[in-house]
Amino acid sequence: MKKKGDSSPTETGEEAPTELKTGLTWRAMLAIVFAAVTLLPTSTYLILVSGAGMVGPATITAILFTELARLMGKKLTKQEMFIIYMVAGSATYAPFLELVFRSYYVTSPLTWNFTDPATGLPLPTQIPHWYAPPYGSSAYLVRSFLSPDWVVPVALRVLAVALIIPYDIALTYICTGLYVDIERLPFPFASVEAQMCITLTERKPEKMRVFMMSAIGA
């Protein structure tokens, strides 16, 4: 897939500008909603009962919608596939699961075997209120985030997630200008994901055979 700023030489030796196409279409949005509605609850349940989440939710969504689009007679574009693959993984991310794991340090009998070296008191009694509700809080009895003791931990978690978005956007612009436009360095890991998007959209037989064999092995 061509990046912004890429160009190809013309007959006169000049570089022609690359035509940019959007991948944020209604089909891509439908795939993202599907991942959030179906795969997110499944992944959350697996994490809670086994500690391991679903493997490759973005890949599952990409393959499913590629086949659906092909059966409907209108294949996905590479731009749509890129949006689906990159965003579907984020749509299955559950940021509040970390708060559930934090409560384990307060309520688990195992943590009472550890003491704070500074005070000599059990570790659950030393966990700050902004990290998780204190020991003995009613929030652990009702098993719900809808408790006054969860207000500060939840607010800080939401703030952290909200700050990640401008942080990622800012670093993307900086790194793109430095490493793509100026240095023109290759991205080995990005090329793997790009090749998967190209393979699923172009469906060349030689590449599809390798892809299917790899999928069966996985």
Side-chain angles (χ1 to χ4, degrees):
M1 290 183 290
K2 294 183 179 180
K3 307 181 186 68
K4 183 177 180 180
D6 286 355
S7 57
S8 56
T10 60
E11 295 180 357
T12 60
E14 298 179 354
E15 292 186 348
T18 301
E19 181 184 359
L20 300 180
K21 297 181 180 179
T22 181
L24 192 60
T25 63
W26 69 268
R27 297 193 297 179
M29 292 299 299
L30 181 62
I32 295 170
V33 171
F34 165 81
V37 173
T38 61
L39 300 184
L40 174 58
T42 304
S43 179
T44 301
Y45 177 78
L46 289 175
I47 292 174
L48 291 176
V49 300
S50 66
M54 179 180 294
V55 178
T59 305
I60 294 174
T61 306
I63 295 175
L64 175 61
F65 275 81
T66 298
E67 295 302 318
L68 289 176
R70 186 176 66 87
L71 292 175
M72 294 175 65
K74 192 172 182 180
K75 298 180 181 180
L76 294 175
T77 64
K78 287 181 281 189
Q79 291 79 6
E80 288 176 318
M81 177 56 61
F82 175 79
I83 293 295
I84 292 173
Y85 181 73
M86 297 305 296
V87 182
S90 300
T92 59
Y93 172 63
F96 292 104
L97 275 180
E98 180 184 342
L99 300 179
V100 177
F101 298 140
R102 290 182 186 181
S103 64
Y104 173 83
Y105 295 109
V106 181
T107 59
S108 174
L110 296 177
T111 57
W112 284 88
N113 296 323
F114 301 90
T115 58
D116 183 5
T119 62
L121 297 175
L123 185 61
T125 62
Q126 301 302 298
I127 295 178
H129 72 282
W130 53 263
Y131 186 81
Y135 178 76
S137 172
S138 60
Y140 301 119
L141 297 177
V142 297
R143 300 172 63 87
S144 172
F145 288 135
L146 302 178
S147 172
D149 292 336
W150 274 114
V151 171
V152 176
V154 169
L156 291 177
R157 183 59 181 164
V158 171
L159 179 62
V161 174
L163 291 177
I164 289 176
I165 298 176
Y167 159 82
D168 283 344
I169 294 176
L171 280 183
T172 298
Y173 274 103
I174 294 173
C175 293
T176 300
L178 179 61
Y179 299 115
V180 177
D181 297 336
I182 299 177
E183 298 292 339
R184 296 187 177 275
L185 298 176
F187 288 81
F189 291 104
S191 64
V192 175
E193 298 176 344
Q195 285 299 321
M196 193 204 76
C197 296
I198 294 172
T199 298
L200 290 177
T201 51
E202 294 183 351
R203 305 185 69 85
K204 293 182 179 180
E206 62 274 12
K207 290 187 176 181
M208 286 301 297
R209 282 195 295 267
V210 175
F211 180 83
M212 294 304 297
M213 292 176 62
S214 301
I216 295 174

